[in-house]
Amino acid sequence: MVEWCLPQDIDLEGVEFKSMASGSHKIQSDFIYFRKGLCFGLACFANMPVESELERGARMKSVGILSPSYTLLYRYMHFLENQVRHQLEMPGHYSHLEAFYDDKKGVLPDSKGTPSSQQPVHWLPSIHRYMYPEMKITHPAGCMSQFIKFFGEQILVLWKFALLRKRILIFSPPPVGVVCYRVYCCCCLANVSLPGLGGTVPESKPFFYVNVADIEMLETEVSYVACTTEKIFEQKRDLYDVYVDNQNVKTHHEHLQPLLKINNADKEKYRRLNDQRQMLMYSQEVGEDCSSCEEDLFILFFMEQNNRIFQTLMEVSASQDKTLTAEHARGMGLDPQGDRSFLMDLLEVYGIDVMLVIDNPCCT
């Protein structure tokens, strides 16, 4: 149940299921990113044993905030962690939360996306050298390297699915905080900074944590990246294209099966990414470069890869014969044979008009 909130007139239907992941009773603490309507939320959860029959031996609470953007939520993680502990130990004392709200409150958009009142908005835009503002989310140091370490070469499989704007669902038992960061990392794989590309292509949306209460909403989505702790989702195949269980990436769509196979070009990209990471670590060790971080390197690596692919595809589509050859594929860092179905899907999703001539002439 929602025990307390400010402002009191806001629609929080279902937020109690989003801010406390299914299965959380088995763990002591967690944090959770989620989406509620047009807003994003961050909640911190804690579980404290109590000698109370009414509470069945455990008191569990989450304290969370909602914002039109997830870019700044991380700044308040420490405050939320302290407050949930405070709420467990001294239930019903909300003065710190009231003061926080009065200090930080802004205008939440209504269902049409327009501000619901004329008060000033105090959420500051996040500025970052390489990223669109909406892609910035700060995480524990090493989040990107953990993502690479966890998935290994499979990140190239996730990269292709993210670039094709597939519905990606990541399953993991609690704690779910680190899995929310995997959702974010997945979205970072699909950044493209070329102007005028794919105006009709759905954006890569991080939904973060979802549960069975979100099924109706997910049924209408054509593209998203989300995570869940509920195993029942695996059976609901109409809700996702790609299901990730631990390090196992799978799809039930036959035409996407070839994308699960790691090819030589993928191995080469993974080797280059690790080489660049090693060079960065070395330059930091010898004190040459303290400004660069692994997050920048990771995002730039995939953005440059994506830009190279789309730059080539747009140049070919603007040429006289519109023919995309094996040489073009290699120039884009792709495997002419192994990435053939990926390329064909890419042309279809982004509406790029070229003829694919690799091996036996075949056109799309």
Side-chain angles (χ1 to χ4, degrees):
M1 56 175 277
V2 177
E3 155 186 345
W4 179 91
C5 72
L6 273 181
Q8 289 173 349
D9 59 352
I10 189 169
D11 171 23
L12 291 178
E13 188 189 347
V15 82
E16 65 273 30
F17 300 110
K18 292 172 181 286
S19 55
M20 211 177 272
S22 178
S24 291
H25 59 280
K26 296 175 186 168
I27 57 173
Q28 294 307 304
S29 62
D30 200 2
F31 64 93
I32 187 164
Y33 280 88
F34 59 90
R35 191 169 175 144
K36 168 70 178 134
L38 294 170
C39 294
F40 291 94
L42 169 63
C44 287
F45 165 83
N47 181 353
M48 183 175 82
V50 289
E51 290 182 22
S52 157
E53 277 188 35
L54 183 66
E55 294 176 279
R56 292 187 289 183
R59 183 177 296 158
M60 292 176 276
K61 291 181 188 276
S62 268
V63 176
I65 48 177
L66 283 173
S67 164
S69 157
Y70 57 85
T71 59
L72 294 186
L73 291 175
Y74 73 91
R75 290 190 179 180
Y76 309 115
M77 177 98 75
H78 190 59
F79 171 78
L80 295 173
E81 285 171 340
N82 287 337
Q83 284 307 302
V84 74
R85 184 55 51 190
H86 176 72
Q87 288 300 319
L88 287 176
E89 291 163 3
M90 298 177 64
H93 292 259
Y94 308 119
S95 55
H96 292 307
L97 296 174
E98 286 166 349
F100 174 88
Y101 175 74
D102 285 338
D103 182 44
K104 309 290 182 197
K105 68 183 173 188
V107 184
L108 295 183
D110 62 22
S111 57
K112 298 181 192 71
T114 52
S116 50
S117 75
Q118 295 307 307
Q119 294 167 293
V121 177
H122 296 299
W123 301 100
L124 300 171
S126 173
I127 296 164
H128 194 261
R129 283 178 297 164
Y130 305 128
M131 300 175 69
Y132 304 114
E134 69 271 12
M135 283 307 300
K136 179 70 172 155
I137 182 174
T138 296
H139 30 58
C143 166
M144 294 290 183
S145 59
Q146 282 170 16
F147 181 69
I148 297 167
K149 206 172 182 177
F150 186 78
F151 284 112
E153 290 180 343
Q154 293 274 28
I155 59 169
L156 278 314
V157 174
L158 291 171
W159 162 65
K160 290 174 195 179
F161 287 132
L163 208 53
L164 291 173
R165 297 295 190 259
K166 296 302 174 192
R167 299 169 300 166
I168 302 171
L169 184 61
I170 303 171
F171 166 79
S172 174
V176 79
V178 67
V179 195
C180 289
Y181 289 141
R182 285 177 202 152
V183 168
Y184 161 70
C185 290
C186 257
C187 288
C188 289
L189 298 172
N191 277 352
V192 183
S193 64
L194 292 179
L197 175 75
T200 57
V201 177
E203 60 175 320
S204 184
K205 289 185 192 170
F207 272 47
F208 299 110
Y209 177 73
V210 294
N211 60 23
V212 288
D214 296 306
I215 285 176
E216 208 174 301
M217 175 266 294
L218 289 176
E219 283 173 339
T220 64
E221 293 297 330
V222 291
S223 171
Y224 69 80
V225 186
C227 60
T228 189
T229 56
E230 302 195 49
K231 194 76 174 163
I232 187 135
F233 270 97
E234 187 172 8
Q235 297 161 26
K236 300 189 176 297
R237 292 178 157 197
D238 53 327
L239 295 180
Y240 61 84
D241 302 308
V242 180
Y243 187 82
V244 184
D245 184 347
N246 216 356
Q247 283 115 321
N248 184 16
V249 182
K250 49 192 178 182
T251 176
H252 53 277
H253 295 300
E254 211 171 308
H255 73 284
L256 294 177
Q257 297 287 341
L259 275 66
L260 295 173
K261 198 171 177 214
I262 305 282
N263 59 48
N264 289 334
D266 296 328
K267 289 178 179 172
E268 173 60 21
K269 278 191 280 290
Y270 188 66
R271 187 193 61 75
R272 273 197 304 116
L273 176 62
N274 278 319
D275 285 352
Q276 289 184 23
R277 290 171 65 216
Q278 292 297 330
M279 283 169 65
L280 175 69
M281 281 151 67
Y282 175 74
S283 65
Q284 286 172 337
E285 274 172 24
V286 297
E288 285 175 8
D289 183 5
C290 296
S291 62
S292 295
C293 71
E294 196 162 27
E295 179 191 11
D296 291 345
L297 185 150
F298 179 89
I299 287 155
L300 265 182
F301 180 89
F302 284 99
M303 189 185 277
E304 285 171 356
Q305 174 66 48
N306 298 342
N307 286 351
R308 181 154 49 124
I309 288 172
F310 287 112
Q311 187 69 49
T312 305
L313 292 179
M314 291 197 295
E315 282 170 6
V316 171
S317 74
S319 69
Q320 196 76 44
D321 63 358
K322 298 183 185 297
T323 303
L324 190 72
T325 64
E327 206 50 52
H328 285 122
R330 280 189 281 271
M332 293 187 280
L334 299 176
D335 184 311
Q337 276 76 42
D339 283 320
R340 184 193 178 89
S341 63
F342 168 59
L343 258 174
M344 290 173 77
D345 284 348
L346 208 58
L347 297 175
E348 189 182 337
V349 169
Y350 289 84
I352 299 170
D353 178 25
V354 306
M355 187 185 285
L356 194 59
V357 182
I358 293 172
D359 276 345
N360 304 322
C362 170
C363 57
T364 58

